[in-house]
Amino acid sequence: MSQTVDRALSILPLLAEGPADLGQVADRLGVHKSTALRLLRTLHEHGLVFRQSDQRYRLGARLFALAQEAVENLDVREIAHPHLLALNEKCGHTVHLAVYEEQEVLYIDKVESRYPVRMYSRIGKPVAITVAAVAKLLLADFPEAERRAVAEKLDYPAYTSRSTPNAAAFLKELALVREQGWATDLGGHEESINCVGAPIRGADGRVVAAMSVSAPNVVVTAEELLRLLPLVRRTAEAISREYSGAVPDARNAL
Amino acid sequence: MSQTVDRALSILPLLAEGPADLGQVADRLGVHKSTALRLLRTLHEHGLVFRQSDQRYRLGARLFALAQEAVENLDVREIAHPHLLALNEKCGHTVHLAVYEEQEVLYIDKVESRYPVRMYSRIGKPVAITVAAVAKLLLADFPEAERRAVAEKLDYPAYTSRSTPNAAAFLKELALVREQGWATDLGGHEESINCVGAPIRGADGRVVAAMSVSAPNVVVTAEELLRLLPLVRRTAEAISREYSGAVPDARNAL
DNA sequence: CGAGCGCGTTGCAGAATATGCAACGTTCAT
DNA sequence: ATGAACGTTGCATATTCTGCAACGCGCTCG
């Protein structure tokens, strides 16, 4: 829509391929050298482009700073909330959103079940980290060494007979979760409550949050709850997409 | 230099602070809404800006993709080389550049000593990982858990009486290196050779490479070599700056 | 239920802005 | 020393962007 800006922005992917000098930029843009120079200057003033010692242009630090700042100021909860509401509309059960922070997994959002029987949980409250589906999802994304380190430091309270008993079992479960891309908690925290969860990923593919649907046995059986898995995963993926900033569509030169 | 582009680019840091709607963007830019709309559209076409479900604008995925691609296509060696040459000019000793890759530390560049007595090393050759200054610098930047995991898997050959003897000593040394921001190897690999090294960091502060100056005892004593430390560190910092894409200068609106 | 408000969007005419040209200055290699 | 390659500048032209005003849409409030 705006030719000048369009041209200027076209320089960025071009430089992402590697450093280039003025002539190369001008050629690939199909404009006069002087035009390319002025565009590069403007990009330079904004720090998006940088001139290395051999005079060639490169993408600059501000680009990274921007990306970083944007990520920091991103609020998963804000983005996820409407999706969680929609999911709750469809299935009626309690929906949770959780993140990992300072050795803990915390609920940061919750949509209450529309059934009379509700489960106990509170936003801001640490999750039972060894059994909760959301905790497994968040920890499963850690690099192997950290996973081991964390698993060994944890306590393994026997909430129920199905709670994760020890570090070895936990690590095995994490490996499974990591591979399949979703997690469950079948009566591991409270005998009568089951959960299915899926991860929410950032633009770099790393897990930034996890969501789950929970319901007591008296409302739906574990099998029925598992049937919601595709829906849960699709919701998580929708949130991931929006959180990451959508898909980059086909680029057309010039 | 180019008003239109200037305005368009000014939108980016603005959105980095958090999502904003058309009116807010127009206000903060000091332009008419229709102008802001067209600029945002152009940014949108390039994927730098994204429209979330509540209609507000946010920084888009392409920004992250660009930053990532730029990093991948960055060649530390290419950027570092002139600096290494300059350092060699000043001190005359052998200068090394190394990176960590696949469980190994590899020399990727070297400027030979101008003294007749040279040390043996070859570009592409794995470094003695438990003793070399560059190896310590690279590993010291790892998160604690990974550091432990790596340290425990290593062998600790006794090249000399001053070689790192075991994992515990190595981890202690890494902690020191991490804190002080530089490293040495005083006769740990070959009895008569000393090194001082400093880390090269990317825009995010993480260590991407390490450089060192090495010299045999017969040319300079360890004390004399250590006197070069400030010079080595300054060189490493200069490379870091250029590798990161320079400093973002003060922003002036409009 | 209807009016009013806020917000995003479009077409248009005027004017500011970007463009290409040609010429100059430097640096580097021959 | 000479030439080529590259980045850089001033300027006149016209292309491109801008602001305005009006429209459409969805919401809220009366």
PDB file of all heavy atoms in Angstrom, chain C residues 1-5, chain D residues 26-30:
ATOM      1  P    DC C   1     -38.169  -4.931  18.014  1.00  0.00           P
ATOM      2  OP1  DC C   1     -38.803  -4.878  16.709  1.00  0.00           O
ATOM      3  OP2  DC C   1     -37.082  -5.832  18.323  1.00  0.00           O
ATOM      4  O5'  DC C   1     -37.697  -3.463  18.402  1.00  0.00           O
ATOM      5  C5'  DC C   1     -38.690  -2.544  18.882  1.00  0.00           C
ATOM      6  C4'  DC C   1     -38.071  -1.156  18.920  1.00  0.00           C
ATOM      7  O4'  DC C   1     -37.290  -1.021  20.123  1.00  0.00           O
ATOM      8  C3'  DC C   1     -37.120  -0.891  17.759  1.00  0.00           C
ATOM      9  O3'  DC C   1     -37.460   0.364  17.165  1.00  0.00           O
ATOM     10  C2'  DC C   1     -35.739  -0.834  18.390  1.00  0.00           C
ATOM     11  C1'  DC C   1     -36.064  -0.392  19.804  1.00  0.00           C
ATOM     12  N1   DC C   1     -35.063  -0.845  20.825  1.00  0.00           N
ATOM     13  C2   DC C   1     -34.463   0.113  21.662  1.00  0.00           C
ATOM     14  O2   DC C   1     -34.774   1.309  21.532  1.00  0.00           O
ATOM     15  N3   DC C   1     -33.555  -0.279  22.596  1.00  0.00           N
ATOM     16  C4   DC C   1     -33.259  -1.576  22.705  1.00  0.00           C
ATOM     17  N4   DC C   1     -32.401  -1.931  23.648  1.00  0.00           N
ATOM     18  C5   DC C   1     -33.873  -2.562  21.881  1.00  0.00           C
ATOM     19  C6   DC C   1     -34.749  -2.156  20.960  1.00  0.00           C
ATOM     20  P    DG C   2     -36.923   0.725  15.657  1.00  0.00           P
ATOM     21  OP1  DG C   2     -38.076   0.869  14.762  1.00  0.00           O
ATOM     22  OP2  DG C   2     -35.813  -0.185  15.326  1.00  0.00           O
ATOM     23  O5'  DG C   2     -36.322   2.183  15.903  1.00  0.00           O
ATOM     24  C5'  DG C   2     -36.893   3.039  16.882  1.00  0.00           C
ATOM     25  C4'  DG C   2     -35.835   3.991  17.374  1.00  0.00           C
ATOM     26  O4'  DG C   2     -35.003   3.335  18.359  1.00  0.00           O
ATOM     27  C3'  DG C   2     -34.894   4.489  16.274  1.00  0.00           C
ATOM     28  O3'  DG C   2     -34.681   5.872  16.447  1.00  0.00           O
ATOM     29  C2'  DG C   2     -33.631   3.674  16.490  1.00  0.00           C
ATOM     30  C1'  DG C   2     -33.641   3.481  17.997  1.00  0.00           C
ATOM     31  N9   DG C   2     -32.937   2.291  18.470  1.00  0.00           N
ATOM     32  C8   DG C   2     -32.992   1.017  17.910  1.00  0.00           C
ATOM     33  N7   DG C   2     -32.267   0.151  18.562  1.00  0.00           N
ATOM     34  C5   DG C   2     -31.707   0.883  19.605  1.00  0.00           C
ATOM     35  C6   DG C   2     -30.818   0.462  20.630  1.00  0.00           C
ATOM     36  O6   DG C   2     -30.368  -0.656  20.847  1.00  0.00           O
ATOM     37  N1   DG C   2     -30.483   1.523  21.476  1.00  0.00           N
ATOM     38  C2   DG C   2     -30.939   2.797  21.349  1.00  0.00           C
ATOM     39  N2   DG C   2     -30.507   3.677  22.245  1.00  0.00           N
ATOM     40  N3   DG C   2     -31.754   3.203  20.389  1.00  0.00           N
ATOM     41  C4   DG C   2     -32.101   2.192  19.558  1.00  0.00           C
ATOM     42  P    DA C   3     -34.001   6.756  15.335  1.00  0.00           P
ATOM     43  OP1  DA C   3     -35.030   7.649  14.773  1.00  0.00           O
ATOM     44  OP2  DA C   3     -33.201   5.901  14.444  1.00  0.00           O
ATOM     45  O5'  DA C   3     -33.021   7.631  16.234  1.00  0.00           O
ATOM     46  C5'  DA C   3     -33.410   7.984  17.572  1.00  0.00           C
ATOM     47  C4'  DA C   3     -32.154   8.262  18.383  1.00  0.00           C
ATOM     48  O4'  DA C   3     -31.564   6.997  18.793  1.00  0.00           O
ATOM     49  C3'  DA C   3     -31.085   9.017  17.614  1.00  0.00           C
ATOM     50  O3'  DA C   3     -30.559  10.045  18.437  1.00  0.00           O
ATOM     51  C2'  DA C   3     -30.042   7.964  17.289  1.00  0.00           C
ATOM     52  C1'  DA C   3     -30.189   6.981  18.442  1.00  0.00           C
ATOM     53  N9   DA C   3     -29.848   5.596  18.103  1.00  0.00           N
ATOM     54  C8   DA C   3     -30.242   4.891  16.995  1.00  0.00           C
ATOM     55  N7   DA C   3     -29.796   3.657  16.970  1.00  0.00           N
ATOM     56  C5   DA C   3     -29.058   3.549  18.144  1.00  0.00           C
ATOM     57  C6   DA C   3     -28.323   2.493  18.708  1.00  0.00           C
ATOM     58  N6   DA C   3     -28.219   1.282  18.137  1.00  0.00           N
ATOM     59  N1   DA C   3     -27.709   2.709  19.883  1.00  0.00           N
ATOM     60  C2   DA C   3     -27.810   3.917  20.455  1.00  0.00           C
ATOM     61  N3   DA C   3     -28.481   4.987  20.022  1.00  0.00           N
ATOM     62  C4   DA C   3     -29.082   4.733  18.855  1.00  0.00           C
ATOM     63  P    DG C   4     -29.519  11.084  17.875  1.00  0.00           P
ATOM     64  OP1  DG C   4     -29.886  12.409  18.404  1.00  0.00           O
ATOM     65  OP2  DG C   4     -29.397  10.859  16.417  1.00  0.00           O
ATOM     66  O5'  DG C   4     -28.161  10.637  18.572  1.00  0.00           O
ATOM     67  C5'  DG C   4     -28.139  10.298  19.958  1.00  0.00           C
ATOM     68  C4'  DG C   4     -26.804   9.683  20.293  1.00  0.00           C
ATOM     69  O4'  DG C   4     -26.768   8.304  19.852  1.00  0.00           O
ATOM     70  C3'  DG C   4     -25.629  10.375  19.600  1.00  0.00           C
ATOM     71  O3'  DG C   4     -24.594  10.578  20.548  1.00  0.00           O
ATOM     72  C2'  DG C   4     -25.197   9.400  18.514  1.00  0.00           C
ATOM     73  C1'  DG C   4     -25.570   8.064  19.137  1.00  0.00           C
ATOM     74  N9   DG C   4     -25.843   7.000  18.177  1.00  0.00           N
ATOM     75  C8   DG C   4     -26.536   7.106  16.983  1.00  0.00           C
ATOM     76  N7   DG C   4     -26.627   5.969  16.338  1.00  0.00           N
ATOM     77  C5   DG C   4     -25.940   5.067  17.153  1.00  0.00           C
ATOM     78  C6   DG C   4     -25.693   3.681  16.976  1.00  0.00           C
ATOM     79  O6   DG C   4     -26.052   2.962  16.036  1.00  0.00           O
ATOM     80  N1   DG C   4     -24.964   3.153  18.036  1.00  0.00           N
ATOM     81  C2   DG C   4     -24.529   3.860  19.122  1.00  0.00           C
ATOM     82  N2   DG C   4     -23.836   3.193  20.044  1.00  0.00           N
ATOM     83  N3   DG C   4     -24.747   5.155  19.300  1.00  0.00           N
ATOM     84  C4   DG C   4     -25.456   5.688  18.278  1.00  0.00           C
ATOM     85  P    DC C   5     -23.388  11.574  20.238  1.00  0.00           P
ATOM     86  OP1  DC C   5     -23.392  12.636  21.256  1.00  0.00           O
ATOM     87  OP2  DC C   5     -23.423  11.905  18.791  1.00  0.00           O
ATOM     88  O5'  DC C   5     -22.148  10.615  20.505  1.00  0.00           O
ATOM     89  C5'  DC C   5     -22.155   9.741  21.646  1.00  0.00           C
ATOM     90  C4'  DC C   5     -21.280   8.539  21.351  1.00  0.00           C
ATOM     91  O4'  DC C   5     -21.926   7.686  20.396  1.00  0.00           O
ATOM     92  C3'  DC C   5     -19.920   8.901  20.752  1.00  0.00           C
ATOM     93  O3'  DC C   5     -18.906   8.497  21.658  1.00  0.00           O
ATOM     94  C2'  DC C   5     -19.857   8.143  19.435  1.00  0.00           C
ATOM     95  C1'  DC C   5     -20.925   7.067  19.621  1.00  0.00           C
ATOM     96  N1   DC C   5     -21.552   6.608  18.346  1.00  0.00           N
ATOM     97  C2   DC C   5     -21.496   5.241  18.016  1.00  0.00           C
ATOM     98  O2   DC C   5     -20.930   4.466  18.776  1.00  0.00           O
ATOM     99  N3   DC C   5     -22.076   4.827  16.858  1.00  0.00           N
ATOM    100  C4   DC C   5     -22.680   5.702  16.060  1.00  0.00           C
ATOM    101  N4   DC C   5     -23.249   5.243  14.936  1.00  0.00           N
ATOM    102  C5   DC C   5     -22.735   7.098  16.372  1.00  0.00           C
ATOM    103  C6   DC C   5     -22.165   7.503  17.515  1.00  0.00           C
TER     104       DC C   5
ATOM    105  P    DG D  26     -21.368  -5.494  11.376  1.00  0.00           P
ATOM    106  OP1  DG D  26     -20.793  -6.818  11.060  1.00  0.00           O
ATOM    107  OP2  DG D  26     -22.796  -5.191  11.092  1.00  0.00           O
ATOM    108  O5'  DG D  26     -21.091  -5.174  12.907  1.00  0.00           O
ATOM    109  C5'  DG D  26     -19.749  -5.121  13.375  1.00  0.00           C
ATOM    110  C4'  DG D  26     -19.721  -4.491  14.749  1.00  0.00           C
ATOM    111  O4'  DG D  26     -20.063  -3.089  14.658  1.00  0.00           O
ATOM    112  C3'  DG D  26     -20.679  -5.126  15.754  1.00  0.00           C
ATOM    113  O3'  DG D  26     -19.972  -5.342  16.968  1.00  0.00           O
ATOM    114  C2'  DG D  26     -21.775  -4.079  15.916  1.00  0.00           C
ATOM    115  C1'  DG D  26     -21.015  -2.784  15.671  1.00  0.00           C
ATOM    116  N9   DG D  26     -21.829  -1.676  15.172  1.00  0.00           N
ATOM    117  C8   DG D  26     -22.770  -1.716  14.178  1.00  0.00           C
ATOM    118  N7   DG D  26     -23.319  -0.551  13.938  1.00  0.00           N
ATOM    119  C5   DG D  26     -22.694   0.309  14.835  1.00  0.00           C
ATOM    120  C6   DG D  26     -22.867   1.701  15.047  1.00  0.00           C
ATOM    121  O6   DG D  26     -23.636   2.478  14.462  1.00  0.00           O
ATOM    122  N1   DG D  26     -22.044   2.182  16.054  1.00  0.00           N
ATOM    123  C2   DG D  26     -21.149   1.415  16.767  1.00  0.00           C
ATOM    124  N2   DG D  26     -20.441   2.048  17.691  1.00  0.00           N
ATOM    125  N3   DG D  26     -20.966   0.112  16.575  1.00  0.00           N
ATOM    126  C4   DG D  26     -21.773  -0.371  15.600  1.00  0.00           C
ATOM    127  P    DC D  27     -20.626  -6.196  18.133  1.00  0.00           P
ATOM    128  OP1  DC D  27     -19.728  -7.323  18.383  1.00  0.00           O
ATOM    129  OP2  DC D  27     -22.068  -6.425  17.846  1.00  0.00           O
ATOM    130  O5'  DC D  27     -20.522  -5.196  19.356  1.00  0.00           O
ATOM    131  C5'  DC D  27     -20.387  -3.819  19.069  1.00  0.00           C
ATOM    132  C4'  DC D  27     -20.299  -3.002  20.328  1.00  0.00           C
ATOM    133  O4'  DC D  27     -20.728  -1.692  19.944  1.00  0.00           O
ATOM    134  C3'  DC D  27     -21.210  -3.459  21.476  1.00  0.00           C
ATOM    135  O3'  DC D  27     -20.571  -3.292  22.724  1.00  0.00           O
ATOM    136  C2'  DC D  27     -22.440  -2.560  21.339  1.00  0.00           C
ATOM    137  C1'  DC D  27     -21.988  -1.378  20.522  1.00  0.00           C
ATOM    138  N1   DC D  27     -22.948  -1.058  19.414  1.00  0.00           N
ATOM    139  C2   DC D  27     -23.349   0.270  19.256  1.00  0.00           C
ATOM    140  O2   DC D  27     -22.866   1.136  20.001  1.00  0.00           O
ATOM    141  N3   DC D  27     -24.243   0.575  18.285  1.00  0.00           N
ATOM    142  C4   DC D  27     -24.744  -0.385  17.488  1.00  0.00           C
ATOM    143  N4   DC D  27     -25.625  -0.023  16.553  1.00  0.00           N
ATOM    144  C5   DC D  27     -24.357  -1.738  17.644  1.00  0.00           C
ATOM    145  C6   DC D  27     -23.459  -2.042  18.614  1.00  0.00           C
ATOM    146  P    DT D  28     -21.408  -3.649  24.082  1.00  0.00           P
ATOM    147  OP1  DT D  28     -20.421  -4.197  25.032  1.00  0.00           O
ATOM    148  OP2  DT D  28     -22.626  -4.429  23.751  1.00  0.00           O
ATOM    149  O5'  DT D  28     -21.866  -2.208  24.583  1.00  0.00           O
ATOM    150  C5'  DT D  28     -20.997  -1.086  24.389  1.00  0.00           C
ATOM    151  C4'  DT D  28     -21.705   0.189  24.819  1.00  0.00           C
ATOM    152  O4'  DT D  28     -22.588   0.646  23.764  1.00  0.00           O
ATOM    153  C3'  DT D  28     -22.568   0.048  26.075  1.00  0.00           C
ATOM    154  O3'  DT D  28     -22.391   1.212  26.869  1.00  0.00           O
ATOM    155  C2'  DT D  28     -23.991  -0.052  25.527  1.00  0.00           C
ATOM    156  C1'  DT D  28     -23.911   0.786  24.267  1.00  0.00           C
ATOM    157  N1   DT D  28     -24.816   0.381  23.142  1.00  0.00           N
ATOM    158  C2   DT D  28     -25.475   1.364  22.434  1.00  0.00           C
ATOM    159  O2   DT D  28     -25.365   2.547  22.684  1.00  0.00           O
ATOM    160  N3   DT D  28     -26.257   0.897  21.396  1.00  0.00           N
ATOM    161  C4   DT D  28     -26.460  -0.424  21.023  1.00  0.00           C
ATOM    162  O4   DT D  28     -27.182  -0.706  20.076  1.00  0.00           O
ATOM    163  C5   DT D  28     -25.750  -1.393  21.822  1.00  0.00           C
ATOM    164  C7   DT D  28     -25.884  -2.853  21.507  1.00  0.00           C
ATOM    165  C6   DT D  28     -24.971  -0.955  22.837  1.00  0.00           C
ATOM    166  P    DC D  29     -22.928   1.309  28.342  1.00  0.00           P
ATOM    167  OP1  DC D  29     -21.806   1.744  29.196  1.00  0.00           O
ATOM    168  OP2  DC D  29     -23.681   0.080  28.664  1.00  0.00           O
ATOM    169  O5'  DC D  29     -23.960   2.517  28.232  1.00  0.00           O
ATOM    170  C5'  DC D  29     -23.666   3.642  27.380  1.00  0.00           C
ATOM    171  C4'  DC D  29     -24.945   4.414  27.120  1.00  0.00           C
ATOM    172  O4'  DC D  29     -25.674   3.810  26.027  1.00  0.00           O
ATOM    173  C3'  DC D  29     -25.908   4.430  28.315  1.00  0.00           C
ATOM    174  O3'  DC D  29     -26.431   5.739  28.466  1.00  0.00           O
ATOM    175  C2'  DC D  29     -27.000   3.425  27.928  1.00  0.00           C
ATOM    176  C1'  DC D  29     -27.017   3.582  26.409  1.00  0.00           C
ATOM    177  N1   DC D  29     -27.512   2.385  25.676  1.00  0.00           N
ATOM    178  C2   DC D  29     -28.268   2.560  24.502  1.00  0.00           C
ATOM    179  O2   DC D  29     -28.515   3.706  24.103  1.00  0.00           O
ATOM    180  N3   DC D  29     -28.706   1.458  23.831  1.00  0.00           N
ATOM    181  C4   DC D  29     -28.416   0.238  24.286  1.00  0.00           C
ATOM    182  N4   DC D  29     -28.861  -0.808  23.584  1.00  0.00           N
ATOM    183  C5   DC D  29     -27.657   0.037  25.477  1.00  0.00           C
ATOM    184  C6   DC D  29     -27.228   1.130  26.135  1.00  0.00           C
ATOM    185  P    DG D  30     -27.289   6.120  29.716  1.00  0.00           P
ATOM    186  OP1  DG D  30     -26.581   7.198  30.438  1.00  0.00           O
ATOM    187  OP2  DG D  30     -27.653   4.865  30.420  1.00  0.00           O
ATOM    188  O5'  DG D  30     -28.582   6.743  29.042  1.00  0.00           O
ATOM    189  C5'  DG D  30     -28.436   7.683  27.974  1.00  0.00           C
ATOM    190  C4'  DG D  30     -29.709   7.702  27.154  1.00  0.00           C
ATOM    191  O4'  DG D  30     -29.888   6.423  26.490  1.00  0.00           O
ATOM    192  C3'  DG D  30     -30.992   7.930  27.963  1.00  0.00           C
ATOM    193  O3'  DG D  30     -31.819   8.835  27.268  1.00  0.00           O
ATOM    194  C2'  DG D  30     -31.641   6.558  28.034  1.00  0.00           C
ATOM    195  C1'  DG D  30     -31.206   5.951  26.722  1.00  0.00           C
ATOM    196  N9   DG D  30     -31.150   4.477  26.718  1.00  0.00           N
ATOM    197  C8   DG D  30     -30.496   3.667  27.608  1.00  0.00           C
ATOM    198  N7   DG D  30     -30.606   2.396  27.335  1.00  0.00           N
ATOM    199  C5   DG D  30     -31.384   2.361  26.187  1.00  0.00           C
ATOM    200  C6   DG D  30     -31.848   1.260  25.427  1.00  0.00           C
ATOM    201  O6   DG D  30     -31.649   0.063  25.605  1.00  0.00           O
ATOM    202  N1   DG D  30     -32.607   1.686  24.335  1.00  0.00           N
ATOM    203  C2   DG D  30     -32.899   2.985  24.038  1.00  0.00           C
ATOM    204  N2   DG D  30     -33.645   3.183  22.959  1.00  0.00           N
ATOM    205  N3   DG D  30     -32.470   4.024  24.736  1.00  0.00           N
ATOM    206  C4   DG D  30     -31.723   3.635  25.798  1.00  0.00           C
TER     207       DG D  30
END
